[in-house]
Structure formats: structure tokens, C-alpha cells
Amino acid sequence: MNANSTDAGVLIAPRSGNVPAAVAAGTRNSAAVDRLGFDSCVLAAQTGAASGAPTTLTLAAKLQESADGATGWADVADAAIDPLTAANGIARINVRLPTAKRYLRVAETVSFTGGSSPTIGASSTIVLCGPDEIPAV
């Protein structure tokens, strides 16, 4: 069988951004993701339950790029989700990557107002899309 446009599984490559965790205020970065062979992606971020009774919460997530996957991280233009401001939410953004450097990572920033040691369940995923070559299946 040959791959075609209805074989969605051969057109994407999901990669972990930040794994699901109860996150306090601050920033966490995912491991580097090699995007070699893919020209676009979807960045998705999700919140879960909040604890500690915060008055407000925010989860912001954006893509960063690096030539070597270890140093020189910089924001990818137009690659940030609209910040999530409620528990149990999800947001995504489609990102074109034709000029991006080889490695990507997700930078998540969580902030709260009020509460007693608040945390929020948070996670992110990078779905690489638009492979240079479609493998035979």
C-alpha cells in the first residue's frame, strides 16, 4: 500500500514538549526536538486541575529554536499560543518552519495571583507536520 493524503499517520510525528505535571509559578523548558525533515508543526498546550485556590492563573507556551539543540535558544516568530487562563483548557497554534533552525523546544510560563502554594496541571506537545519525504507503508 502506498501512502496518500488520507494516511494522516505518515504525515505527522508527535513529540513530547513538557510532560504532564503539577507546575508551580515559573518557566520550564522541554528537551530539544529534532525537526529535521519537517516544515511545519502544531504546538498544543493543555491545563489540568488547579490546586492551592489561586484567584487567577495563566499558562503561556511558545516555541524556541536552536541550531545545536543545546545553546542559543531564541523565540520562533509567531509561535506562541494564546495564554490559557482557566483549568482544564487547551490551546494550539499552527507554525510554519521553513526557515527555523533544526531544533525546537517548548517554553511554558505559569503565573498565579493569590492562593496558597498554587499549582496547575500542565503539558505541551509538538506535532511535526509536512515531512520532506512520505515513507512507504
Side-chain angles (χ1 to χ4, degrees):
M1 177 168 106
N2 291 325
N4 63 46
S5 62
T6 62
D7 297 326
V10 300
L11 301 175
I12 65 167
R15 302 289 187 260
S16 290
N18 286 307
V19 298
V23 181
T27 299
R28 69 179 182 152
N29 297 317
S30 73
V33 171
D34 188 348
R35 71 161 201 94
L36 185 65
F38 292 90
D39 291 330
S40 65
C41 73
V42 174
L43 168 62
Q46 186 169 358
T47 57
S51 67
T55 307
T56 65
L57 62 92
T58 302
L59 169 66
K62 62 185 175 183
L63 283 178
Q64 295 183 324
E65 64 181 347
S66 166
D68 64 8
T71 61
W73 291 101
D75 294 350
V76 175
D78 302 317
I81 64 160
D82 289 334
L84 293 162
T85 58
N88 303 312
I90 189 166
R92 66 174 227 166
I93 187 167
N94 299 324
V95 182
R96 303 265 308 136
L97 300 169
T99 61
K101 295 178 181 172
R102 180 170 174 175
Y103 295 91
L104 302 173
R105 75 176 181 188
V106 181
E108 290 177 359
T109 302
V110 173
S111 60
F112 299 100
T113 302
S116 176
S117 301
T119 63
I120 184 79
S123 66
S124 57
T125 303
I126 299 171
V127 181
L128 298 171
C129 309
D132 291 340
E133 294 183 22
I134 298 174
V137 286

